[in-house]
Amino acid sequence: MKRTKIAELLNSTSSDERVLIQGWVRTRRDSKGFSFIEVNDGSCLGNIQVIADAALDNYEDLRKLIAGSAIGVTGELVASPGKGQAWEIRASRIDIIGDASESYPLQKKRHTDEFLRTIAHLRPRTNKYGAVFRIRSELSFAIHRFFRDHGFRYIHTPIITGSDCEGAGELFRVTTLDVNDPPKRAGTVDWGADFFGKEANLTVSGQLSAEMLAMALGDVYTFGPTFRAENSNTRRHVAEFWMVEPEMAFCDLECNMAFAQEMIQYLTTYILQECQEDIQLFARFVDKTLISTLSVISQSEYVRLPYEEAVDILNHAPRSFEFEVASGKDLQSEHERYLTEVHFKKPVIVFDYPKTIKPFYMRLNDDDKTVAAMDVLVPRIGEIIGGSQREERLHVLEQRMKDCGVTREDYWWYLDMRRFGSVPHSGFGLGFERMLMMLTGISNIRDVIPFPRTPNSIEF
Ligand code: 4AD
Ligand code: MG
């Protein structure tokens, strides 16, 4: 018999069907002549109640079932006379597929996020984390759909690279050399003897490769894992995260900003519609203001704010900040949150940042001081997107690389692209996990990733 997902059964319209479900026991409660077993199979938040009759031949074993056990149930789907559920299954047969021991760490009470992180292998079985990871899946799908509907091509950019796109030096080295005894040349490690014949690292961004493809295919996007050896423990940084990076030929900063807003609004609307039940859980238990925040994000026009004006607003704020606000310094999370949560109460796109705090590839503005950068900031998180118009003029780019200390020889192909039909182009990177934080109200990025990687933490 074919297994039916519980999500399908709970939306069922006809009873008296013979069904087979397989899942994990959430709770069991005995009454006279019956046992009530709540089963969840991960297909949705809801459980289905199974009625196990004392007449079942393994009834004695079933009465010993504890939470966490896996079972298969064959029976009749019937309208439930009990409160709180429309359907239940009258079991004609229950197979115990996998026993659980009495020390199953997930109890009926609510556990703290901190505790659940220590049992990351089991936390997807809780209501909250099941919901997070279902939304994670839906959001991935929505991203591909959004781009496909807009005529973008999905490209795959390398995971192992020889470049540091952001120039921040937060690289994880990739090597096959013996770290205890590497070959040396003139006293230092001879990277020429390494696997690729030069230094290699895990990618910090697919952007530079995406730019090359955009110069052929027009509108492209890459969506994949990204790695940064940022040695800071914050609620919004991890060492391994996923980034969505569109790159658009013939698109300037204005076009880039409009597209970023359109994408966030599409994705937010999509999740509000497609994941209603799971989103409601977060609105009830995680962030009471979630729905109103998300409707502002999905419906209102985002503020466009030049960097200098942002600094001005922050300097006149009727409160103090831990980190100093000064022209020429990068905005900190607390500043970004002030702008979006207190001052404007909606998403803000800050643009035209000082060139001194941004990477070499961003297009230099006519003032010679700022670059065509843009960050999209949202309430409760701050920066969710970082992007820019790219420098398409060869001589300007060469000068910027020089100023930023980027070696020309390493990026000859990037420069070469400016020699053959170079065009204005733009793109951005959306932090996939930050988007999930925004959608769920979860305040720690570790809790939207099944197995998060942070400094000193790689247990699972
Ligand atoms: O602002 P970033 O560094 O931009 C880039 O890497 C560009 N090359 C993207 C592009 O233009 N194609 O990173 C983009 C986004 C950030 O806004 C943030 O949401 C997320 O990636 N991000 C992180 N998310 C989790 N953990 C980290 N350590 C992150 N660093 C960046
Ligand atoms: Mg950034």
Side-chain angles (χ1 to χ4, degrees), residues 165-166 204-205 207 228 230 236-239 241 243 245-247 361 375 383-388 390 427-431 433-434 445:
C165 174
E166 296 306 295
V204 297
S205 162
Q207 178 195 323
R228 296 196 186 173
E230 243 162 331
R236 52 177 212 166
H237 290 95
V238 274
F241 60 100
M243 217 202 290
E245 296 182 273
E247 191 67 38
Y361 55 73
D375 278 6
E383 179 189 342
I384 191 168
I385 280 180
S388 64
R390 323 304 189 189
F428 58 81
L430 166 74
E433 283 77 12
R434 292 201 186 165
I445 195 167

Side-chain angles (χ1 to χ4, degrees), residues 240-252:
E240 178 179 307
F241 60 100
W242 282 59
M243 217 202 290
V244 183
E245 296 182 273
E247 191 67 38
M248 297 161 281
F250 310 103
C251 173
D252 61 10

Side-chain angles (χ1 to χ4, degrees), residues 31 257 325 360 412:
S31 91
M257 291 195 279
V325 183
F360 73 93
W412 66 269

